C-alpha cells in the first residue's frame, strides 16, 4: 500500500473538488489581470493630472490650511453669512473632522448665494440636496459654489466624502429665510440658528 502524505494539502481530492494546481493557476491569472488594471488606472491618473490639467473642483485658489484660524478670510470672526454691497450673500465655512464651522448658517431666499469653503485637515464634501451645490472641500484650496434658493426651507447637509471614523456624524444646516427676516438678523444670528 502506498504511503499516505502527512500534509492535508497533499491528500488526494474527492471528486468535484478543483485540484490545487488549477486553483493556483486561476488565482495567478486573476492576480495578473488585477495588477494590469491597477497599473493602467495609476497611469491614467498621472496622465490626466499632468496633461489634462486635473484640478480641484471649481476654482484653483490656494490657501494655507495650517493657519486658517490665525487671520484672513477664514478667521473665525469672518465665518458664516455676509451680505455683499451688491445685495448677494457669501457664506464662508470651514470643514474639519468632524463638523462644519459654523454648524448652521442662515441665508436669504431669492438672492444669489456664494459658498466659499476650505478644509482644515482632510478632504471633505459639501452637498445641498436638491440644489446644484455639490463640491469637494480640499485642504489647501478654496472651493466656491454659487446658487440661489427659490424657497424658504431648511437643508441638512451631510459631508459626502469619506473623511474618517466620524464621517457619518459630519453634517451642517443651511436655513433659507425670507429676505425681510434675514435683514433683521444680526451678523451673530446669521451664523447660528437659535434652536440648532
Ligand atoms: Cu467630512 Cu466626511
Amino acid at each position: 500500500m502506498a504511503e499516505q502524505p502527512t500534509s492535508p494539502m497533499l491528500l488526494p481530492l474527492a471528486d468535484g473538488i478543483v485540484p490545487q494546481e488549477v486553483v493556483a493557476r486561476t488565482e495567478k491569472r486573476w492576480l495578473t489581470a488585477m495588477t494590469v488594471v491597477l497599473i493602467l488606472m495609476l497611469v491614467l491618473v498621472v496622465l490626466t493630472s499632468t496633461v489634462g490639467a486635473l484640478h480641484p473642483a471649481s476654482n484653483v485658489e490656494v490657501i494655507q490650511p495650517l493657519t486658517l484660524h490665525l487671520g484672513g478670510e477664514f478667521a473665525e470672526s469672518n465665518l458664516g453669512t455676509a451680505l455683499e454691497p451688491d445685495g448677494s450673500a457669501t457664506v464662508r465655512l470651514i470643514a474639519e473632522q468632524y463638523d462644519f464651522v459654523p454648524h448652521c448658517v442662515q441665508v436669504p431666499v431669492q438672492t444669489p448665494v456664494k459658498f466659499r469653503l476650505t478644509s482644515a485637515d482632510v478632504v471633505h464634501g459639501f452637498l445641498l440636496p436638491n440644489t446644484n451645490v455639490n463640491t469637494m472641500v480640499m485642504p489647501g484650496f478654496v472651493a466656491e459654489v454659487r446658487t440661489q434658493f427659490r424657497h424658504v426651507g431648511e437643508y441638512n447637509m451631510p459631508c459626502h466624502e469619506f473623511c474618517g471614523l466620524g464621517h457619518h456624524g459630519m453634517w451642517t444646516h443651511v436655513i433659507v429665510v425670507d429676505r425681510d427676516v434675514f435683514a433683521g438678523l444680526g451678523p451673530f444670528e446669521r451664523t447660528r440658528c437659535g434652536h440648532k
Side-chain angles (χ1 to χ4, degrees):
M1 197 178 133
E3 203 178 305
Q4 283 285 322
T6 45
S7 162
M9 294 297 287
L10 300 175
L11 284 172
L13 297 168
D15 280 350
I17 295 185
V18 184
Q20 202 183 345
E21 313 85 66
V22 179
V23 172
R25 212 184 310 136
T26 315
E27 280 185 347
K28 220 175 274 176
R29 210 176 292 149
W30 277 107
L31 204 65
T32 313
M34 290 320 297
T35 312
V36 169
V37 170
L38 271 181
I39 292 173
L40 200 72
M41 290 203 304
L42 202 70
V43 168
L44 268 179
V45 168
V46 173
L47 267 184
T48 47
S49 58
T50 50
V51 182
L54 185 81
H55 59 77
S58 79
N59 47 341
V60 184
E61 196 182 328
V62 291
I63 191 161
Q64 174 53 258
L66 293 178
T67 52
L68 290 179
H69 58 296
L70 295 181
E73 187 182 348
F74 289 91
E76 195 176 351
S77 55
N78 209 31
L79 298 176
T81 312
L83 269 184
E84 302 297 342
D86 64 0
S88 68
T90 303
V91 181
R92 294 183 177 86
L93 294 167
I94 292 180
E96 58 185 35
Q97 285 168 321
Y98 297 100
D99 205 355
F100 288 88
V101 184
H103 187 63
C104 183
V105 287
Q106 308 204 39
V107 294
V109 75
Q110 283 157 14
T111 305
V113 178
K114 184 166 71 184
F115 285 95
R116 286 175 59 77
L117 298 104
T118 191
S119 166
D121 37 48
V122 299
V123 178
H124 298 276
F126 183 67
L127 169 98
L128 292 175
N130 306 322
T131 70
N132 64 332
V133 178
N134 182 349
T135 185
M136 279 167 92
V137 186
M138 305 217 217
F141 295 94
V142 178
E144 190 175 299
V145 242
R146 289 155 195 258
T147 193
Q148 183 154 342
F149 297 95
R150 271 181 287 176
H151 308 287
V152 166
E154 191 172 327
Y155 292 80
N156 283 327
M157 204 299 300
C159 169
H160 69 312
E161 195 75 42
F162 183 74
C163 53
L165 289 178
H167 161 71
H168 64 282
M170 181 168 173
W171 53 276
T172 188
H173 275 309
V174 173
I175 296 184
V176 184
V177 296
D178 264 326
R179 286 207 262 190
D180 302 346
V181 174
F182 187 82
L185 297 173
F188 187 77
E189 293 163 291
R190 289 175 195 160
T191 304
R192 277 147 195 87
C193 306
H195 59 291
K196 302 294 168 199

